[in-house]
Amino acid sequence: FVGNSTYLDDHGPPPQKVLPFPSQVVYNRVGKCGSRTVVLLLRILSEKHGFNLVTSDIHNKTRLTKNEQMELIKNISTAEQPYLFTRHVHFLNFSRFGGDQPVYINIIRDPVNRFLSNYFFRRFGDWRGEQNHMIRTPSMRQEERYLDINVCILENYPECSNPRLFYIIPYFCGQHPRCREPGEWALERAKLNVNENFLLVGILEELEDVLLLLERFLPHYFKDVLSIYKNPEHRKLGNLTVTVKKTVPSPEAIQILYQRMRYEYEFYYYVKEQFHLLKRKFGLKSHIRKPHPRPEFFIPSPLETEEPIDDEEEDDEKWLEDIYKR
């Protein structure tokens, strides 16, 4: 044994860097759910804690062909560990292509609020620059830009009806064509993936608690995240990216949205319940509210949550075309 250890001492591989567990994390961020806030924090955290933050410039391609999935999974899997990869992309099953399944994290938001934020952001941008939205959606015609939200919903414009409104679930359901079809199949598969592949899916309305849990579950990535988030310098940035010219649709229009988005709401309430169970388990108290009745039976006034830094706009025309081609 002594000889053997001497041999290893002389010829063995250099000691490997001890990696934290998990050392492969994917944040497949959902559009308009505060992910620019989180990515901004991750940039600061990656420098502070020395992990590899891998971001993507592709914002408008959430659904991939089989070859594109293989290529992306290969690229992610070969990144230097510990890494955190982030991109607007529907759930990818690494093990299907022989890769190690990473740990997933994500954040979602009340579906009507997410939709309204996206609707007005596409048209009018934010306070970062009056012309920002013109650059982002240059091909939008004036009559479309100033289309009244109530008209869009009540007269069933494509932007305000399915499949456009079926938006959050596919991020969790995955790349299967049926994940784009509003229905029970996609909903149940999304829930299953949340249970089996996601370490945490948080709720934007309770972002500080999301950050606290991320710090607890993934300290190598998120240690001190809350103090950075609460730093006045960082808070100042948020004010530049609040979506402008937002108006609240009529109760009738909101009721129609709720009916069209009933699967999105089933998923949202499921995730919220799981999130609150986790919070209780780790001693974080939720504000006690009466549970909502199911969406189709009430007319809510949209929650006015503080807008964290908004996501860059995604152009979703491409996936719409894909649906209509099928």
Side-chain angles (χ1 to χ4, degrees), residues 155-168:
E155 296 188 13
N156 216 4
Y157 278 68
E159 186 178 358
C160 298
S161 52
N162 278 315
R164 278 305 273 279
L165 294 178
F166 193 67
Y167 183 87
I168 297 171

Side-chain angles (χ1 to χ4, degrees), residues 128-262:
R128 280 174 295 180
E130 196 49 44
Q131 294 309 308
N132 240 10
H133 57 288
M134 299 297 184
I135 297 161
R136 200 166 275 117
T137 51
S139 61
M140 191 180 276
R141 298 186 306 280
Q142 285 300 89
E143 61 267 29
E144 188 187 349
R145 195 176 298 283
Y146 292 98
L147 174 63
D148 181 275
I149 182 81
N150 291 303
V151 172
C152 185
I153 296 164
L154 297 173
E155 296 188 13
N156 216 4
Y157 278 68
E159 186 178 358
C160 298
S161 52
N162 278 315
R164 278 305 273 279
L165 294 178
F166 193 67
Y167 183 87
I168 297 171
I169 285 174
Y171 276 87
F172 298 87
C173 177
Q175 298 288 335
H176 191 287
R178 287 185 73 184
C179 287
R180 294 295 182 118
E181 296 166 9
E184 290 290 335
W185 189 91
L187 169 67
E188 291 308 319
R189 184 156 162 159
K191 286 182 186 174
L192 189 70
N193 276 333
V194 166
N195 295 338
E196 292 185 353
N197 293 297
F198 283 79
L199 179 68
L200 180 70
V201 184
I203 297 294
L204 183 60
E205 291 83 358
E206 299 168 38
L207 183 59
E208 289 194 7
D209 288 342
V210 178
L211 298 177
L212 269 174
L213 286 176
L214 283 169
E215 184 168 0
R216 182 165 288 203
F217 295 164
L218 296 168
H220 182 78
Y221 296 88
F222 286 97
K223 192 173 186 312
D224 301 324
V225 65
L226 203 57
S227 54
I228 296 167
Y229 175 68
K230 286 182 160 179
N231 181 312
E233 285 302 301
H234 171 260
R235 303 298 291 168
K236 214 162 55 185
L237 289 171
N239 297 332
L240 297 175
T241 55
V242 173
T243 302
V244 300
K245 298 192 185 181
K246 247 187 185 173
T247 57
V248 177
S250 69
E252 184 193 358
I254 287 179
Q255 183 64 19
I256 287 169
L257 277 185
Y258 266 88
Q259 285 163 354
R260 287 178 188 165
M261 298 170 101
R262 67 185 183 278

